[in-house]
Amino acid sequence: MAVTGHSEIEIAATPAEVMDAIADVEALPTWSSSHKSVTVEERYDDGRPKRVRSTMNVMGINDEQVAEYTWNGDESVSWSLIESSQQKSQEGKYVLEPAGDGTKAVFDLAVETKIAIPGFIVKKAQKSGVETATKGLKKFVEKR
């Protein structure tokens, strides 16, 4: 069964600036403690990442995964898991929209693991991941 998470945050930057930060996937280890390394294996013609390999450690569980990204200008980006040592599936998405002097970022994530993990650990990992994906992104963008 997939575990889902949802969060929204306002960031003091334009949607284009926020999307540029999201597209800088190789910088993920600087603002996401669970990401140990990130490598872009394939890019679209505009330079944005298409196929990305990452090594992660979430709640003491190591995972190497490959995801494929789909970009919709500066409005949204989504990714789908292609391969993983620990996950059956992962679907993630950021949707950005102008909000006052900044950007509202909406983050959604659905993950299904290959192995049975106690529910309280899954919920703690999900909460940490969603917080990093919003609060960590906000901090990263606003200090650029």
Side-chain angles (χ1 to χ4, degrees):
M1 175 179 225
V3 175
T4 61
H6 172 87
S7 187
E8 300 178 10
I9 197 162
E10 290 206 16
I11 301 174
T14 67
E17 291 168 328
V18 175
M19 194 60 77
D20 284 348
I22 295 169
D24 187 5
V25 295
E26 291 155 317
L28 267 166
T30 67
W31 61 272
S32 170
S33 61
S34 62
H35 286 83
K36 302 306 173 194
S37 68
V38 178
T39 305
V40 177
E41 294 186 336
E42 186 179 351
R43 292 185 183 273
Y44 289 99
D45 290 341
D46 66 2
R48 285 187 169 168
K50 180 177 183 180
R51 186 177 172 106
V52 176
R53 181 175 300 274
S54 55
T55 304
M56 304 180 69
N57 183 303
V58 179
M59 304 287 299
I61 299 171
N62 293 312
D63 191 17
E64 183 170 338
Q65 58 190 34
V66 177
E68 186 162 301
Y69 285 68
T70 303
W71 303 88
N72 180 23
D74 293 330
E75 296 172 10
S76 66
V77 58
S78 60
W79 60 93
S80 296
L81 188 70
I82 296 172
E83 61 185 66
S84 168
S85 58
Q86 300 294 329
Q87 297 175 53
K88 284 184 186 177
S89 66
Q90 181 184 127
E91 299 291 328
K93 185 172 190 172
Y94 280 103
V95 176
L96 307 179
E97 59 185 59
D101 291 336
T103 299
K104 176 182 171 185
V106 178
F107 175 74
D108 288 290
L109 182 67
V111 175
E112 185 174 1
T113 61
K114 288 181 179 178
I115 58 171
I117 300 173
F120 74 95
I121 293 176
V122 172
K123 287 182 183 191
K124 188 173 180 180
Q126 177 264 345
K127 181 181 178 195
S128 174
V130 169
E131 283 183 5
T132 297
T134 52
K135 293 178 183 175
L137 175 64
K138 175 182 174 71
K139 186 176 178 181
F140 177 66
V141 171
E142 292 179 353
K143 75 176 188 179
R144 285 180 85 162

